[in-house]
Amino acid sequence: MNRPASPRPHPQPSGLPSLKGVIFTSVVGSVLVLVAAVLFALLPGALSEARDFRAARPCSEVSAPENGDCLSEWPGTVVSKETGRNNKAVTYWVTVDLGPEEPSFRIRMRGNGPVWRELAPGDRVTAFAWRDLVWQLGSGELRQDTTGAPDREPAVRLAVGLALLIVGSVFLRGAGWLHRRRAVRATDTPTAQVLVVTAATLLASGIAVTAATATDALWLVLLVAAAGCAAVRTATALLLRGLARRRTA
């Protein structure tokens, strides 16, 4: 008795997007978008603090200082300076005495700067403070920031978040595109199309990053990023449509 031959699986056409590729692309896109969401969730407070710090005026120019929002100066004397290690990175510390009415405190300097190199126990210094946070230490004409100084970190975090959001969205859209190509068993993947999408992604990310680092206004950053993405997407669609017409002509 002859047994019926077991059906053989149809071989996957050469060039057809693989299921692993679709899953990998969607996972990468989801992770990038999730990381961007976490960065955005941490932004409001940091952006507000950085904006308040840049808008602060010296206490001598403010008639009624409230909540330490003005920039104050505390004269003090260096007690000691030392180095340490934090996650294999060298840290630089200065202990300053502000007088008998205030306890001495340690200040972590930002790097091995000019103030830290020149200081010695007994030297007179000026601690520049904002909201009871020493953000800069001065010795004569020299100035050096501390690690507590509000800086451009919120802007960098915003720029990174926008770039990750744009790239992650492109990955998710690419995963959907690959899935549709698998469904219709399309095997031709024009190289020009991939290059155009890649260039468009880099351009849109560059516009968003530039906006985030050029201005402190969050609404303006988001407006420029959205407008840039819309313009790049429109130009990309028109270019891809023209390439498709040329390919089928």
Side-chain angles (χ1 to χ4, degrees):
M1 181 176 180
N2 295 329
R3 293 183 179 179
S6 57
R8 295 181 179 178
H10 294 288
Q12 176 172 300
S14 177
L16 186 68
S18 66
L19 181 59
K20 289 183 178 180
V22 177
I23 295 176
F24 175 79
T25 305
S26 62
V27 169
V28 171
S30 300
V31 170
L32 294 179
V33 171
L34 179 61
V35 173
V38 172
L39 290 176
F40 291 150
L42 300 175
L43 270 177
L47 285 174
S48 176
E49 182 182 56
R51 185 168 54 251
D52 292 345
F53 172 72
R54 284 188 289 273
R57 294 184 299 165
C59 291
S60 58
E61 301 178 4
V62 180
S63 57
E66 295 181 1
N67 301 325
D69 283 341
C70 60
L71 303 175
S72 58
E73 301 180 11
W74 303 340
T77 304
V78 176
V79 176
S80 63
K81 70 175 187 177
E82 58 187 291
T83 59
R85 288 196 173 274
N86 183 16
N87 295 330
K88 299 183 180 179
V90 180
T91 57
Y92 302 90
W93 298 87
V94 177
T95 301
V96 177
D97 183 12
L98 298 180
E101 297 182 359
E102 297 288 342
S104 59
F105 61 95
R106 297 174 74 212
I107 304 173
R108 181 177 172 182
M109 307 301 295
R110 180 165 293 175
N112 183 14
V115 171
W116 192 89
R117 290 196 302 267
E118 297 295 330
L119 287 182
D123 288 349
R124 298 291 295 174
V125 292
T126 301
F128 298 90
W130 176 71
R131 292 182 178 176
D132 294 328
L133 174 69
V134 177
W135 63 275
Q136 194 175 68
L137 198 64
S139 176
E141 299 297 326
L142 300 177
R143 299 287 187 273
Q144 183 179 344
D145 287 349
T146 71
T147 56
D151 53 15
R152 297 292 294 174
E153 182 183 350
V156 174
R157 193 182 303 171
L158 175 60
V160 173
L162 288 173
L164 291 178
L165 179 62
I166 293 171
V167 176
S169 300
V170 172
F171 266 86
L172 291 176
R173 186 174 178 83
W177 178 74
L178 291 175
H179 178 70
R180 289 192 299 271
R181 293 181 67 82
R182 278 182 55 85
V184 299
R185 305 185 72 80
T187 58
D188 58 323
T189 304
T191 304
Q193 187 171 1
V194 177
L195 292 178
V196 168
V197 173
T198 302
T201 303
L202 294 177
L203 179 58
S205 300
I207 293 174
V209 169
T210 302
T213 55
T215 178
D216 296 330
L218 179 59
W219 67 269
L220 183 57
V221 173
L222 297 179
L223 179 62
V224 172
C229 289
V232 170
R233 181 176 180 179
T234 302
T236 302
L238 293 175
L239 182 56
L240 292 177
R241 191 174 303 171
L243 292 175
R245 288 201 200 98
R246 182 179 301 179
R247 193 168 60 251
T248 56

